[in-house]
Structures are given as C-alpha cells and as structure tokens.
Amino acid sequence: MAQPANLILKEGAMKPVSRFVLAILAILILSACGSTPTRYLTFTVRAQNSEIWMLDTSNDKLLNLSNKSSDDIWQTWSPDGRYLAFTSDRSGNLDIWILDTKKEVVFNYTNNPEDEGWPTWSPDGKYLAYASNREGTYDIWRMNSDGTNRINLTPGDGDDGLPAWSPDSQRIVFSSNRNGNYDLYIVSVNGGELEQITSDEADDIMPAWSPDGKKIAFVSKRDGNSEIYLYDIASKGVTNLTKNPYNDETPAWYPDGSRILFVSERFDNQWDVYSMKPDGSEVRRLTHDELQEFHPMWRP
C-alpha cells in the first residue's frame, strides 16, 4: 500500500508494558487459546487518554500501538494484518491515521480540517469506509486503500456514522439519524439507494456484520440501557442477546463467527471485555482490571 506524501511521522518501536499490567490482563490469553484460531486481541484502553493496545496471546506480551498523549480510538486492521487504521485528534482535529506495523511509522491518512474517522477496512482489502463531515454533515465515505478516489456514499440530511462492511465487501451497514433517531441502513459499495433495516424509537448504533453475512450485531437502548442485539437479514427479526441491566456495547465477531466480543460495565460499573456465543449464551468475562476497555477486535 502506497503511503501518501502529505505526512509521514516516525513514532518509534512498539514497546511492551510492565509485567504487572500483563498479569492484570492475562485472563485474555485463556479465552484466546480455545477453538478459535486467534492470536492478537486489540482494544482501546481509556485512562487519562485513549490508546490502542494489543495482546499477543502466544507470548503474553501487551503492546501499546499508539502511545501518544492524544486520544486514539476505533481501530481497524487491514486484512493482511500489517496496517492499523484508527481515529485520532493528534493533529488538532479528528483524522484517520495509519500505523504500518512493519516499518513502525504512523502517518495522517486524511489530513483534513474537518473531522473524519471511524474507519473500517473492507474484507478484500481494496477500500476504507469512514465517516466525514467535510460536506457539512457526517456522511459515509469510501476511499481506495491507497487513499485515492474518495467518494461520498450517503450525501443527504442527518448524520451517518460507524460503518461496517459485509463479508463480500459489496455493502456497508451504518447508523444514521436522517429520519429522526439513529437506525441502521445499508448502502452499496458504489453508493446509490439506501436500505433501512431497523426502525425503532431507540437509537440503533455500532453495527457489526457476521462473517457468514447472515446477521448483523448492533447496540440499542430499546430496553432502557445499551445492549447487544442481533438482526437476522433473512427474517428481518431482531433478538436481544445480552438482556442485562448494565450497558453493553461495541460488538465484534470472532473471525470464524463462533463468538461475539463486546464490552460491558456489568461488574462494578467497570468497562471490561466479554465474549458470548451468537445466541447470547456462555458469556465470559475476559478482562479483570481497573482500566476502561472499549472496541475489542481480533487482528488478522
């Protein structure tokens, strides 16, 4: 993937943290060594500021991938696992930055005076979808993985955000308030007419498409607090998976679709990483510490 000429910034090598922190988060290793072929678990840690961390489950090392005083959030991996795109305010406003893990450099990929962020890489590696307000409202944009050919896929009223790709890289599901509250919509990779798939008085946000393309996990406050729901594309039915009085957010599928990662504050109002089966059963708490963890996902 070619690097844009606008900015290339050397950030230094990724560094492991102390054994104390590793011990706190070691429970992650147990969940990752099951039947799912996963090795690297990535998530955002919020303390004084938000940073992106990755646990290597083969050697128990925890790496800080962003390590800046800015807020770095909402990461997404390229399908080959080399590039990490994320949202950061390190340039003064929100932009999409990319970490090249091979060369150990970070560069500003959008470098726009308007806010742009919440990227997601298409499974075929050709595109990045993201949200931008460069035309007055937040819309879903698509660009080639080399940063060229930027296209607004959802021009119109309201704010659109939090895009997620279908496994065949042909469609994007996202959240929009263009009809009043936030519902889920689907748009083609080439733009065009939108398909609205949820309609509820509560906001529906943070969609995540299942690897088999049949379901979409999302977050909604339909029952009064944030919980994980599942939309079945064939039946158009919606199922509450978590059914918990505490908030549950940011669902992300295991690569083989066997489980769903999410974060919850169900224990002592502390945001930790959990996993569950796609039917909501066998909930496992994966982190047990005082850090605030968000947006977990597996690295390819």
Side-chain angles (χ1 to χ4, degrees):
M1 183 181 70
Q3 295 179 357
N6 55 353
L7 179 61
I8 298 177
L9 176 64
K10 179 71 175 180
E11 295 286 79
M14 297 178 291
K15 298 179 181 180
V17 298
S18 69
R19 291 183 179 272
F20 174 74
V21 176
L22 290 175
I24 292 177
L25 296 176
I27 188 68
L28 289 168
I29 302 164
L30 299 178
S31 66
C33 292
S35 59
T36 304
T38 52
R39 176 176 174 181
Y40 299 104
L41 182 62
T42 312
F43 48 88
T44 300
V45 173
R46 183 175 299 167
Q48 292 182 345
N49 62 292
S50 297
E51 295 180 333
I52 300 166
W53 295 75
M54 181 176 70
L55 178 73
D56 184 339
T57 62
S58 70
N59 57 22
D60 302 2
K61 289 185 178 179
L62 188 68
L63 305 177
N64 186 335
L65 299 183
S66 55
N67 198 22
K68 292 282 288 187
S69 59
S70 57
D71 283 321
D72 302 325
I73 61 172
W74 210 264
Q75 75 281 4
T76 180
W77 287 101
S78 61
D80 62 4
R82 173 172 174 175
Y83 299 99
L84 180 74
F86 59 96
T87 305
S88 178
D89 63 357
R90 60 181 66 188
S91 61
N93 64 289
L94 295 177
D95 277 308
I96 296 173
W97 292 68
I98 290 185
L99 165 67
D100 182 336
T101 61
K102 184 176 181 180
K103 295 183 178 180
E104 297 182 355
V105 295
V106 176
F107 46 95
N108 189 333
Y109 221 47
T110 49
N111 199 21
N112 190 281
E114 305 300 331
D115 285 340
E116 300 185 307
W118 304 274
T120 178
W121 228 296
S122 63
D124 62 9
K126 294 181 179 180
Y127 305 110
L128 276 166
Y130 60 101
S132 171
N133 69 350
R134 63 171 60 195
E135 293 187 353
T137 59
Y138 280 99
D139 299 312
I140 303 302
W141 288 65
R142 187 209 76 198
M143 64 179 166
N144 294 343
S145 60
D146 63 1
T148 62
N149 194 28
R150 300 180 183 185
I151 300 173
N152 187 346
L153 299 179
T154 64
D157 296 331
D159 289 320
D160 309 323
L162 305 178
W165 288 91
S166 63
D168 62 3
S169 301
Q170 295 303 302
R171 294 180 292 170
I172 299 168
V173 61
F174 63 97
S175 184
S176 175
N177 67 352
R178 59 183 55 220
N179 286 327
N181 59 293
Y182 282 95
D183 289 305
L184 300 185
Y185 294 77
I186 292 176
V187 65
S188 165
V189 64
N190 297 313
E193 186 176 354
L194 306 182
E195 176 188 0
Q196 183 175 350
I197 63 171
T198 67
S199 180
D200 194 271
E201 293 181 356
D203 290 335
D204 298 335
I205 59 174
M206 300 180 184
W209 217 310
S210 65
D212 63 6
K214 296 180 179 180
K215 301 178 186 299
I216 296 173
F218 66 97
V219 174
S220 181
K221 291 187 177 180
R222 299 178 182 214
D223 292 336
N225 61 293
S226 296
E227 295 190 296
I228 310 297
Y229 289 77
L230 199 64
Y231 174 81
D232 186 281
I233 293 176
S235 69
K236 299 183 180 181
V238 173
T239 304
N240 184 341
L241 299 183
T242 49
K243 299 178 182 178
N244 191 282
Y246 295 93
N247 291 318
D248 306 309
E249 295 185 356
T250 62
W253 293 83
Y254 277 43
D256 64 358
S258 63
R259 298 185 68 82
I260 299 173
L261 290 167
F262 65 101
V263 296
S264 178
E265 59 174 2
R266 62 184 63 192
F267 182 81
D268 200 26
N269 295 318
Q270 170 68 40
W271 288 102
D272 282 302
V273 179
Y274 292 75
S275 76
M276 63 182 167
K277 283 191 171 182
D279 63 1
S281 65
E282 293 188 16
V283 175
R284 302 172 185 170
R285 185 181 177 195
L286 305 184
T287 60
H288 299 69
D289 56 80
E290 296 180 357
L291 301 175
Q292 301 285 348
E293 291 130 3
F294 297 92
H295 195 215
M297 67 187 313
W298 294 108
R299 176 184 178 179

